[in-house]
């Protein structure tokens, strides 16, 4: 069995994430996703997530390409993870190109996959923020909508 591992925050899950996970799974038989814990995101990456670790884990576990989700608690754990989980291939998006080549020394193939160019969580956050500023006064409540076609 060929095991593949990838790492990420996976907040605001979108089709670019699904594309990456699908292509990562295609490189082997078993895909492990190492999901950044809330503490690691805040303390090390200085990122605040919209969804908690448990919520993000539940979303990832529902994706058919994902076989196992484990927590990422620090930058250093990658070396031990590839050994503990008997990993053959390490996969990341190509915006990380070269940053994890040191794992080749551990006997692991390192693959950087192209990101889906037109989508990113950061871009989604910016776009939503810009849209909210423009449409704040035009928000409609469910109570304001007539959903009965007979009236």
């Amino acid at each position: 069995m060929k095991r593949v591992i990838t790492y990420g925050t996976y907040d605001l899950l979108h089709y670019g994430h699904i594309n990456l996970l699908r292509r990562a799974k295609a490189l082997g038989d078993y895909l492990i996703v190492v999901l950044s814990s809330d503490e690691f995101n805040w303390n090390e990456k200085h990122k605040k997530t919209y969804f908690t670790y448990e919520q993000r884990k539940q979303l990832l576990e529902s994706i058919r390409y994902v076989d196992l989700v484990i927590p990422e608690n620090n930058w250093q754990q990658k070396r031990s993870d590839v050994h503990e989980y008997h990993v053959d291939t390490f996969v990341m998006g190509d915006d990380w190109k070269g940053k994890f080549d040191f794992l080749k020394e551990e006997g692991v193939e390192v693959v950087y996959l192209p990101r889906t160019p037109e989508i990113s969580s950061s871009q989604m956050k910016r776009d939503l923020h810009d849209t909210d500023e423009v449409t704040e006064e035009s928000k409609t409540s469910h109570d304001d909508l007539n959903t009965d076609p007979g009236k």
Side-chain angles (χ1 to χ4, degrees):
M1 179 188 322
K2 188 172 181 185
R3 293 175 181 245
V4 179
I5 197 166
T6 190
Y7 290 70
T9 302
Y10 296 97
D11 196 25
L12 301 183
L13 194 64
H14 54 72
Y15 67 90
H17 290 133
I18 303 301
N19 286 339
L20 184 80
L21 295 169
R22 178 183 43 79
R23 290 180 290 155
K25 175 67 177 235
L27 296 173
D29 306 300
Y30 191 84
L31 178 61
I32 303 163
V33 177
V34 188
L35 179 63
S36 301
S37 69
D38 294 332
E39 297 77 20
F40 179 55
N41 272 325
W42 184 249
N43 296 332
E44 299 294 324
K45 293 181 171 181
H46 310 291
K47 282 175 139 179
K48 181 173 179 358
T49 58
Y50 186 82
F51 295 109
T52 67
Y53 171 83
E54 287 302 324
Q55 291 166 328
R56 291 178 289 122
K57 181 179 183 203
Q58 184 178 16
L59 287 167
L60 285 169
E61 288 173 336
S62 72
I63 298 169
R64 67 179 173 186
Y65 309 115
V66 176
D67 296 296
L68 177 66
V69 179
I70 61 172
E72 179 181 24
N73 297 307
N74 59 67
W75 291 110
Q76 296 76 29
Q77 80 181 67
K78 289 174 181 65
R79 281 188 200 272
S80 59
D81 285 348
V82 298
H83 294 293
E84 182 177 346
Y85 293 95
H86 309 285
V87 169
D88 301 289
T89 307
F90 174 93
V91 174
M92 287 297 281
D94 61 0
D95 53 328
W96 290 95
K97 194 166 187 109
K99 294 287 188 182
F100 301 107
D101 288 351
F102 65 89
L103 291 171
K104 293 175 185 176
E105 299 166 11
E106 306 300 319
V108 176
E109 178 185 13
V110 177
V111 176
Y112 299 100
L113 294 174
R115 296 271 184 175
T116 305
E118 71 277 5
I119 187 76
S120 76
S121 296
S122 299
Q123 185 62 49
M124 286 172 59
K125 288 175 187 176
R126 283 191 297 274
D127 290 350
L128 287 169
H129 178 72
D130 292 346
T131 300
D132 281 347
E133 288 178 356
V134 171
T135 62
E136 190 64 39
E137 68 282 348
S138 66
K139 289 185 179 175
T140 303
S141 162
H142 291 126
D143 295 335
D144 298 333
L145 298 173
N146 177 7
T147 58
D148 183 351
K151 289 187 177 181

